[in-house]
Short mmCIF file of all heavy atoms in Angstrom, two decimals:
data_model
loop_
_atom_site.label_atom_id
_atom_site.label_comp_id
_atom_site.label_asym_id
_atom_site.label_seq_id
_atom_site.Cartn_x
_atom_site.Cartn_y
_atom_site.Cartn_z
N ARG A 479 17.94 -55.59 7.51
CA ARG A 479 16.78 -55.51 6.62
C ARG A 479 16.68 -54.13 6.00
O ARG A 479 16.83 -53.12 6.68
CB ARG A 479 15.50 -55.83 7.40
CG ARG A 479 14.29 -56.00 6.49
CD ARG A 479 13.09 -56.42 7.33
NE ARG A 479 11.90 -56.56 6.49
CZ ARG A 479 10.70 -56.84 6.97
NH1 ARG A 479 10.54 -56.99 8.27
NH2 ARG A 479 9.68 -56.95 6.17
N ARG A 480 16.44 -54.08 4.69
CA ARG A 480 16.36 -52.80 3.98
C ARG A 480 14.91 -52.46 3.63
O ARG A 480 14.17 -53.32 3.16
CB ARG A 480 17.18 -52.85 2.67
CG ARG A 480 18.69 -52.86 2.91
CD ARG A 480 19.43 -53.01 1.60
NE ARG A 480 20.86 -52.98 1.81
CZ ARG A 480 21.57 -51.87 1.80
NH1 ARG A 480 20.99 -50.72 1.59
NH2 ARG A 480 22.88 -51.92 2.01
N PHE A 481 14.58 -51.19 3.84
CA PHE A 481 13.26 -50.69 3.47
C PHE A 481 13.46 -49.60 2.43
O PHE A 481 14.23 -48.66 2.65
CB PHE A 481 12.53 -50.11 4.68
CG PHE A 481 12.21 -51.13 5.72
CD1 PHE A 481 13.15 -51.48 6.69
CD2 PHE A 481 10.99 -51.77 5.72
CE1 PHE A 481 12.86 -52.42 7.65
CE2 PHE A 481 10.69 -52.72 6.69
CZ PHE A 481 11.62 -53.06 7.65
N VAL A 482 12.82 -49.72 1.30
CA VAL A 482 12.99 -48.76 0.22
C VAL A 482 11.68 -48.00 0.02
O VAL A 482 10.64 -48.62 -0.21
CB VAL A 482 13.40 -49.45 -1.09
CG1 VAL A 482 13.54 -48.42 -2.20
CG2 VAL A 482 14.72 -50.20 -0.88
N SER A 483 11.73 -46.67 0.12
CA SER A 483 10.54 -45.85 -0.14
C SER A 483 10.76 -45.07 -1.42
O SER A 483 11.88 -44.68 -1.72
CB SER A 483 10.27 -44.90 1.02
OG SER A 483 11.32 -43.98 1.15
N LYS A 484 9.70 -44.86 -2.16
CA LYS A 484 9.79 -44.12 -3.42
C LYS A 484 9.27 -42.71 -3.24
O LYS A 484 8.18 -42.49 -2.70
CB LYS A 484 9.00 -44.83 -4.52
CG LYS A 484 9.61 -46.17 -4.90
CD LYS A 484 8.82 -46.84 -6.00
CE LYS A 484 9.46 -48.17 -6.40
NZ LYS A 484 8.69 -48.85 -7.48
N VAL A 485 10.07 -41.76 -3.64
CA VAL A 485 9.69 -40.34 -3.54
C VAL A 485 9.49 -39.80 -4.95
O VAL A 485 10.35 -39.92 -5.80
CB VAL A 485 10.80 -39.52 -2.82
CG1 VAL A 485 10.36 -38.09 -2.68
CG2 VAL A 485 11.10 -40.14 -1.46
N THR A 486 8.31 -39.21 -5.21
CA THR A 486 8.02 -38.69 -6.54
C THR A 486 8.80 -37.41 -6.79
O THR A 486 8.88 -36.53 -5.93
CB THR A 486 6.52 -38.41 -6.68
OG1 THR A 486 5.80 -39.57 -6.28
CG2 THR A 486 6.16 -38.06 -8.10
N VAL A 487 9.40 -37.33 -7.98
CA VAL A 487 10.22 -36.17 -8.34
C VAL A 487 9.68 -35.54 -9.61
O VAL A 487 9.26 -36.23 -10.53
CB VAL A 487 11.69 -36.60 -8.55
CG1 VAL A 487 12.55 -35.39 -8.84
CG2 VAL A 487 12.21 -37.34 -7.34
N ASN A 488 9.70 -34.20 -9.67
CA ASN A 488 9.15 -33.49 -10.81
C ASN A 488 10.01 -32.30 -11.17
O ASN A 488 10.68 -31.73 -10.31
CB ASN A 488 7.74 -33.01 -10.50
CG ASN A 488 6.85 -34.15 -10.08
OD1 ASN A 488 6.23 -34.78 -10.91
ND2 ASN A 488 6.82 -34.45 -8.78
N LYS A 489 9.96 -31.88 -12.42
CA LYS A 489 10.78 -30.79 -12.93
C LYS A 489 9.86 -29.69 -13.47
O LYS A 489 8.92 -29.97 -14.22
CB LYS A 489 11.67 -31.31 -14.06
CG LYS A 489 12.56 -30.26 -14.70
CD LYS A 489 13.75 -29.93 -13.80
CE LYS A 489 14.86 -29.24 -14.60
NZ LYS A 489 14.43 -28.04 -15.29
N TYR A 490 10.12 -28.45 -13.06
CA TYR A 490 9.28 -27.32 -13.45
C TYR A 490 10.13 -26.13 -13.92
O TYR A 490 11.28 -25.97 -13.50
CB TYR A 490 8.40 -26.87 -12.27
CG TYR A 490 7.43 -27.93 -11.82
CD1 TYR A 490 7.77 -28.80 -10.80
CD2 TYR A 490 6.19 -28.07 -12.42
CE1 TYR A 490 6.91 -29.78 -10.38
CE2 TYR A 490 5.31 -29.05 -12.02
CZ TYR A 490 5.67 -29.90 -11.00
OH TYR A 490 4.80 -30.89 -10.60
N ASP A 491 9.52 -25.31 -14.76
CA ASP A 491 10.15 -24.04 -15.13
C ASP A 491 10.15 -23.09 -13.94
O ASP A 491 11.07 -22.29 -13.77
CB ASP A 491 9.40 -23.40 -16.30
CG ASP A 491 9.41 -24.26 -17.54
OD1 ASP A 491 10.50 -24.70 -17.95
OD2 ASP A 491 8.31 -24.52 -18.10
#
Side-chain angles (χ1 to χ4, degrees):
R479 190 176 179 184
R480 289 176 178 271
F481 295 85
V482 179
S483 64
K484 293 181 178 180
V485 182
T486 308
V487 183
N488 304 271
K489 179 76 162 56
Y490 297 93
D491 299 309

